[in-house]
Amino acid sequence: MSIRIAVLVSGGGTNLQALIGARDRGELGGGQLAAVISSKEGAYALERAKQAGIPCYVVARKNYDSNRAMTEALVAKLKDLNIDLVVLAGFMHILTEEMVKAYPNAILNVHPALIPAFCGAGYYGIHVHEKALAYGVKITGATVHFVNEEPDGGPIVLQRAVAVQPGDTPETLQRRVMEQAEWHILPQAVALFCQGRLCVQGRLVTIKEGE
Ligand code: GAR
């Protein structure tokens, strides 16, 4: 049985597009992109899902009083769809413990920095790159990690470094981090999960050899 994947999005969906590309090349470890769920109506990611033939849904944050209420609605939807793996790909809300309890070590998130730098509450999207540039780092990158109760604090699966260039703006840096890191390591991590090659012990993730 193939792993049924739901991708949770809030915006443009370029990471979703990278997953669709991997699927189309047969590089998703046999995983099936079974659903895209957006926290925003009208997100361009929904358009990408439709064009790729993936069923899509909206669980809009604005329709719920709290992150917890939205998380509970999401969990109900994911269970209804028989989802095995949840992928946060540019999902801009902090999920509460109900999600982690429902999907222990089965939620992957891509974050646009080398965790534990520039992560946690308030570090999302373009703000991550603004803060990295303001700090003056010469190297940044991206991380794919399992989601636990702590924002951006779960076990790290894959990381890739990206050089900061003189004259970078948050936008140019964001683009380079996506092109050189995120769009590669997110599909890779999803494929490894689907192949059953990720072994989590405490904070440590080891990758089993492929066959
Ligand atoms: C990506 O850079 C992703 O890593 C980041 O938002 C962007 C979404 O782009 N996610 C976070 O900051 C989550 N903490 P996309 O919608 O084009 O994939």
Side-chain angles (χ1 to χ4, degrees), residues 84-175:
D84 304 302
L85 170 65
V86 182
V87 178
L88 309 184
F91 188 74
M92 298 303 184
H93 310 274
I94 293 177
L95 297 166
T96 58
E97 60 181 4
E98 289 75 20
M99 181 63 78
V100 181
K101 280 194 183 124
Y103 285 93
N105 289 336
I107 310 167
L108 292 171
N109 179 47
V110 61
H111 182 76
L114 293 174
I115 290 173
F118 307 111
C119 65
Y123 287 84
Y124 60 92
I126 197 76
H127 304 303
V128 178
H129 306 289
E130 287 166 359
K131 286 170 179 163
L133 286 175
Y135 201 92
V137 294
K138 304 296 186 195
I139 301 280
T140 184
T143 303
V144 177
H145 64 93
F146 281 110
V147 172
N148 66 7
E149 290 79 1
E150 196 188 328
D152 297 327
I156 290 170
V157 179
L158 294 174
Q159 292 188 297
R160 190 173 288 186
V162 174
V164 177
Q165 302 289 356
D168 259 339
T169 63
E171 290 76 19
T172 61
L173 185 57
Q174 179 181 50
R175 183 75 191 179

Side-chain angles (χ1 to χ4, degrees), residues 8-86:
L8 273 52
V9 295
S10 301
T14 66
N15 279 289
L16 168 65
Q17 196 67 51
L19 292 167
I20 292 167
R23 175 200 70 175
D24 292 348
R25 293 189 302 274
E27 292 173 5
L28 219 48
Q32 184 193 346
L33 293 176
V36 169
I37 307 179
S38 173
S39 64
K40 288 198 185 92
E41 282 160 24
Y44 188 64
L46 289 168
E47 202 50 49
R48 294 181 192 272
K50 280 181 202 145
Q51 279 170 21
I54 306 167
C56 45
Y57 309 87
V58 176
V59 176
R61 175 65 181 84
K62 67 177 171 59
N63 293 341
Y64 299 92
D65 289 341
S66 61
N67 276 359
R68 181 175 179 159
M70 179 186 64
T71 303
E72 285 169 352
L74 276 170
V75 168
K77 187 81 207 155
L78 294 164
K79 292 292 173 190
D80 198 39
L81 294 166
N82 289 316
I83 296 301
D84 304 302
L85 170 65
V86 182

